[in-house]
Amino acid sequence: NPATLSVLRSIADGIGRCFMHNQRAVLYYYCDDMNDVPSIGVRNQGMWPQEYRSQLFGLMFRRYVEQNNLSEDIVDVSITIQQDARPLYMHLIARNKHVAYLEQLKEFIIENFGK
């Protein structure tokens, strides 16, 4: 079902609270890739539904991070996985101090799941 902006904000808030409680957290998100986007704008025509959702949630989460002064601490790494004829989009979220681990995870995911 379509998610409202308030639902997306609530998800971003939940992720933010998780980070506040766990200094070693590494989270990921992977948006729905099976259902069409009901009202995709003209400038986003031709975009895969999951790509659109991935960008939308990425922007929402970045906004949360900036509004809560977490920009220096939290990073969102985007991953594109080639799955047959279409790409899949995934994100890893962690603290900046864990970027080296995120890069290793990203490499592992691409090598093992991008077929």
Side-chain angles (χ1 to χ4, degrees), residues 56 72 105:
L56 177 64
E72 298 294 319
L105 278 169

Side-chain angles (χ1 to χ4, degrees), residues 4-5 11 18 29 34 45-46 54 56 62 65 72 87 99 102:
T4 64
L5 288 177
I11 293 169
C18 179
Y29 63 93
M34 302 306 253
Q45 290 293 333
S54 174
L56 177 64
R62 190 172 326 135
V65 166
E72 298 294 319
V99 168
L102 291 184

